[in-house]
Amino acid sequence: MAKPPLRILLCAPRGFCAGVIRAIDAVEKALSLYGPPVYVRHEIVHNKYVVESLRKKGAVFVDELEEIPPTDAPVIFSAHGVPKSVPAAAAVRRFFAIDATCPLVTKVHREAELHHRRGRTVVLVGHARHPEVVGTMGQLPDGAVLLVETLADVERLAPREPDNLAYVTQTTLSVDDTKDLVAALAARFPTIVGPHKEDICYATTNRQEAVKRVAPEVDAMIVVGSPNSSNSQRLKEVAERAGCAISRLILRAEDIDWSLFQGLQSLGITAGASAPEVLVEEIIDAFDAHYTIEVETVSTADESVFFPLPRDLRVSGAA
């Protein structure tokens, strides 16, 4: 029997952003220069496929520095950033530490530190326990950062000096949710100081805009990414809010629940900033086995951002 037709709208931009590419390249460059093992604190990026690929090459992922034995091997901090206590602990143990924090996360860290030096209490808009949030809060002394996750949190906020506040945000949030939270903060605290340029990174914004364009036009939407990836989860939520009846976050083709994707005429596909293009292609191939597909790319922005490797790897590479 002939396969039914399926129009696939492929979001662009999608997949790896400059910060993720930099972090993965840092691990691979360290492996190339120094050989295995290369230790990585936490997942270098939130994607199981990427982590397993690097593990096979000799990367050793740990939750905390205490798990690393005495070593001269490189110890890399993930793209999400770390509290100041982590590089301090690495220095005490004389580790060869390499910081692969995304430069856009580092920007948020510096903003928070600047506000603190100017005597302001910092309000962080973000998700509790996310590694990026833990890292940002860990730039300042305990109590110097107040975390808000919901509008209810904003209502409950009771800073000691309500007229002397500033806010920063996690880089991978929903643009729309963050806009609402920032508006609520400004309504309650009219003198609150915001960043000169919004903290949500270009890649998060661009991928969400592409989903907003595609989601209303398709029967179902697939976001390629890991469940623990904040920006991937936000893409799924954006698709749902844009009116897509079926929106699913899927890591691999083997995870597709085909009972949800029967009788489709159109399908949107995007990928979180930590998901490699090979997984997008894998999922397209899976649908090609069930449908006669026609793939069309819907582009909403061009991306040309590039971040160089951490300095230690550049210097070593040049040497």
Side-chain angles (χ1 to χ4, degrees):
M1 295 178 61
K3 294 182 291 185
L6 178 67
R7 180 176 177 236
I8 294 179
L9 299 186
L10 199 54
C11 294
R14 66 182 176 277
F16 281 175
C17 63
V20 164
I21 292 170
R22 176 180 184 266
I24 295 170
D25 285 353
V27 178
E28 292 187 333
K29 182 70 170 179
L31 285 166
S32 172
L33 289 172
Y34 303 104
V38 167
Y39 293 95
V40 185
R41 184 185 179 274
H42 289 177
E43 294 184 345
I44 188 69
V45 296
H46 280 161
N47 188 276
K48 183 179 179 182
Y49 177 90
V50 171
V51 168
E52 290 303 319
S53 296
L54 292 172
R55 185 176 277 123
K56 290 174 183 176
K57 296 177 182 179
V60 177
F61 293 89
V62 299
D63 290 328
E64 300 298 343
L65 297 184
E66 288 79 3
E67 300 171 46
I68 303 175
T71 182
D72 294 326
V75 177
I76 299 180
F77 305 146
S78 78
H80 310 100
V82 295
K84 281 188 172 180
S85 59
V86 172
V92 168
R93 295 192 62 189
R94 298 186 178 182
F95 284 151
F96 173 29
I98 298 171
D99 189 357
T101 301
C102 173
L104 298 179
V105 175
T106 300
K107 164 187 170 288
V108 177
H109 291 180
R110 289 173 178 166
E111 287 172 350
E113 289 183 287
L114 180 61
H115 289 310
H116 180 65
R117 287 201 301 270
R118 292 177 176 174
R120 300 178 181 125
T121 298
V122 177
V123 179
L124 171 59
V125 180
H127 294 297
R129 295 178 295 279
H130 187 278
E132 183 185 330
V133 167
V134 173
T136 299
M137 295 187 74
Q139 302 305 303
L140 302 181
D142 288 347
V145 181
L146 305 177
L147 179 65
V148 296
E149 192 167 0
T150 65
L151 292 173
D153 292 338
V154 175
E155 287 303 311
R156 286 191 295 265
L157 201 61
R160 287 192 299 270
E161 297 182 67
D163 294 328
N164 196 23
L165 302 179
Y167 76 85
V168 295
T169 79
Q170 183 179 334
T171 63
T172 55
L173 298 176
S174 159
V175 174
D176 294 332
D177 283 349
T178 306
K179 190 182 301 180
D180 292 342
L181 285 166
V182 168
L185 284 169
R188 277 209 65 198
F189 309 103
T191 60
I192 194 167
V193 177
H196 294 296
K197 184 179 180 182
E198 69 175 25
D199 293 329
I200 296 177
C201 83
Y202 77 94
T204 297
T205 301
N206 289 347
R207 280 149 190 71
Q208 290 181 18
E209 287 301 316
V211 168
K212 287 178 184 178
R213 173 82 65 86
V214 168
E217 300 183 19
V218 294
D219 300 326
M221 190 89 194
I222 287 178
V223 178
V224 183
S226 290
N228 62 337
S229 165
S230 175
N231 72 81
S232 298
Q233 289 283 5
R234 303 296 82 75
L235 289 173
K236 174 180 172 291
E237 293 168 3
V238 167
E240 291 169 345
R241 291 179 183 178
C244 187
I246 302 170
S247 179
R248 292 293 183 273
L249 178 60
I250 295 173
L251 178 62
R252 303 290 303 267
E254 64 193 28
D255 302 319
I256 297 172
D257 179 355
W258 288 104
S259 67
L260 295 172
F261 298 99
Q262 298 298 316
L264 298 180
Q265 294 183 321
S266 57
L267 173 70
I269 299 178
T270 189
S274 52
E277 185 66 11
V278 64
L279 299 186
V280 175
E281 294 170 357
E282 179 182 285
I283 285 174
I284 292 174
D285 288 344
F287 275 90
D288 189 41
H290 291 76
Y291 292 90
T292 300
I293 63 172
E294 176 186 344
V295 180
E296 175 186 340
T297 298
V298 177
S299 181
T300 56
D302 293 322
E303 290 182 354
S304 57
V305 178
F306 168 78
F307 296 136
L309 284 169
R311 183 174 286 106
D312 288 323
L313 294 174
R314 283 180 272 155
V315 171
S316 298

